[in-house]
Amino acid sequence: MAHTLRIELPSHTVRSARLGLPLMLYETTSKVVDDRFAFIPTAQCVAILQGVLARAQEKFPLIDVYAFHVLSNHLHLLLGAPTLAHKSAFLEWTLREISKRINRLLGRTGSLLEQNHCIQITTTEHALQRLQYLMGQATAQLLVRHPADDIFACSTPYLLFGKPVEGIFTAAGQAPRTLQVRIDRLPGLDDLSPKDHRALMWQLADDLAAQARPKRKKAGVRLPDPESLRRLDPMTRPRVRDRSPAPVVHGPPEHHAEWREAQDALRVAYSRATRAFHAWQADPTQPMIPWPPHTLPPAFARPRGPRAGAA
């Protein structure tokens, strides 16, 4: 169990422009089981996804959302959270509600999302790189010419045009509510005026389009019609799954080494505390040893039952 231990590096915090509190930055990725195209960008699907995210922000006000993007078979979130526990609670609720509602939309049951993958971001420069990465998801997949043309559920309309990112959330026994996803200002960009911030976002988007153009021409790929993307069968899968290994953190090489060293030490401490816990279960006179701080042991993070979209 300790080899899957989730940890945080508390030495790499940023200050939230909205809250004025120290937060840690994370990029999370949640994939649809079997790579199915469950998130086809129909108006109804986009409204559900953005409505759940907006409602999650109401329930978890200490979470910053800097960017998000939902392609047909996976979703990305760029978040700020005070602790791993706050992040876990936010993702647990958000992914569960997305799973329930998209399953209902598709008329299916069972798990919809695989266990999410979360990577801490240790510098504001790398955070901006990850924001650009999220913004360019559809462009990099040769589905749109420019991020401004993106039809998927994402934060790009707000970042480029200042348009509200809205969705619909319906709770049991209540009328549907139209909610707006709050896109927070990324730490490190706090001092930019709205005009300068938007100019920076357009520069990032234009760079993405310029990078994709020769790739598209070399591959001889024509851009799909947006309506054809909305008519895809949600149970289809991509022909090719080309995935590169994920880094342990998004940061400079010394932060990778720092994370590995911290994870090794915390894994040993967690294993020792777990053995003491098992000994206490067998004999309550045995001493308990606290699990180490800045960790999120998978089995002890939060009480939970079987569900779709584990956090």
Side-chain angles (χ1 to χ4, degrees):
M1 189 188 309
H3 70 282
T4 60
L5 187 66
R6 300 192 178 197
I7 74 168
E8 62 190 3
L9 297 178
S11 55
H12 300 294
T13 60
V14 296
R15 189 157 297 276
S16 167
R18 177 177 65 93
L19 300 168
L21 299 175
L23 303 176
M24 281 165 282
L25 302 178
Y26 301 96
E27 181 190 350
T28 71
T29 304
S30 300
K31 298 174 182 175
V32 178
V33 293
D34 296 328
D35 267 348
R36 302 292 182 181
F37 287 170
F39 299 137
I40 296 298
T42 62
Q44 191 173 7
C45 182
V46 170
I48 290 172
L49 294 167
Q50 295 179 171
V52 169
L53 184 55
R55 176 60 182 140
Q57 290 181 309
E58 291 183 342
K59 290 180 66 67
F60 302 93
L62 295 183
I63 300 293
D64 275 357
V65 176
Y66 307 113
F68 72 95
H69 197 286
V70 186
L71 273 181
S72 297
N73 62 349
H74 68 281
L75 64 91
H76 292 280
L77 294 167
L78 186 59
L79 307 173
T83 67
L84 281 174
H86 286 89
K87 176 191 67 69
S88 178
F90 175 85
L91 289 175
E92 180 179 44
W93 188 90
T94 303
L95 300 181
R96 182 186 68 233
E97 294 301 315
I98 285 175
S99 297
K100 285 167 44 179
R101 285 165 168 75
I102 297 300
N103 268 349
R104 191 179 304 129
L105 175 66
L106 300 179
R108 71 182 297 279
T109 59
S111 295
L112 179 73
L113 297 173
E114 297 177 358
Q115 184 82 7
N116 82 83
H117 189 70
C118 176
I119 302 176
Q120 185 175 353
I121 305 169
T122 57
T123 72
T124 55
E125 293 78 14
H126 283 83
L128 184 60
Q129 292 174 13
R130 301 319 295 172
L131 184 147
Q132 184 182 33
Y133 174 77
L134 266 63
M135 187 188 293
Q137 286 288 291
T139 309
Q141 293 298 317
L142 309 183
L143 300 176
V144 298
R145 179 190 64 83
H146 190 282
D149 305 324
D150 206 317
I151 64 170
F152 293 87
C154 63
S155 52
T156 308
Y158 177 83
L159 294 172
L160 294 184
F161 302 104
K163 292 181 179 179
V165 178
E166 295 182 335
I168 305 295
F169 185 82
T170 306
Q174 298 181 14
R177 299 170 58 202
T178 299
L179 302 176
Q180 185 171 323
V181 180
R182 183 192 68 250
I183 306 302
D184 297 304
R185 181 69 72 90
L186 192 68
L189 306 181
D190 316 29
D191 296 334
L192 293 180
S193 68
K195 180 180 179 180
D196 289 341
H197 184 269
R198 192 161 301 163
L200 174 60
M201 295 299 108
W202 271 99
Q203 179 185 336
L204 297 178
D206 290 343
D207 289 347
L208 289 164
Q211 294 166 17
R213 192 177 302 117
K215 178 182 174 182
R216 190 172 64 247
K217 289 184 178 179
K218 182 177 180 180
V221 175
R222 298 185 62 182
L223 292 174
D225 176 67
E227 288 308 311
S228 69
L229 296 176
R230 296 186 177 103
R231 291 194 299 267
L232 286 172
D233 183 350
M235 291 299 103
T236 57
R237 292 182 289 187
R239 292 191 181 93
V240 179
R241 287 182 272 187
D242 184 16
R243 292 173 179 165
S244 56
V248 293
V249 295
H250 291 302
E254 59 268 24
H255 293 177
H256 290 240
E258 179 186 352
W259 187 95
R260 289 190 174 92
E261 183 178 350
Q263 213 267 354
D264 287 344
L266 289 170
R267 188 173 64 243
V268 171
Y270 171 65
S271 297
R272 180 168 173 263
T274 301
R275 287 193 295 269
F277 173 74
H278 291 157
W280 173 83
Q281 284 182 310
D283 179 3
T285 64
Q286 297 297 312
M288 288 278 285
I289 301 175
W291 282 279
H294 307 300
T295 65
L296 193 64
F300 301 100
R302 292 171 61 83
R304 65 175 97 175
R307 57 183 174 79

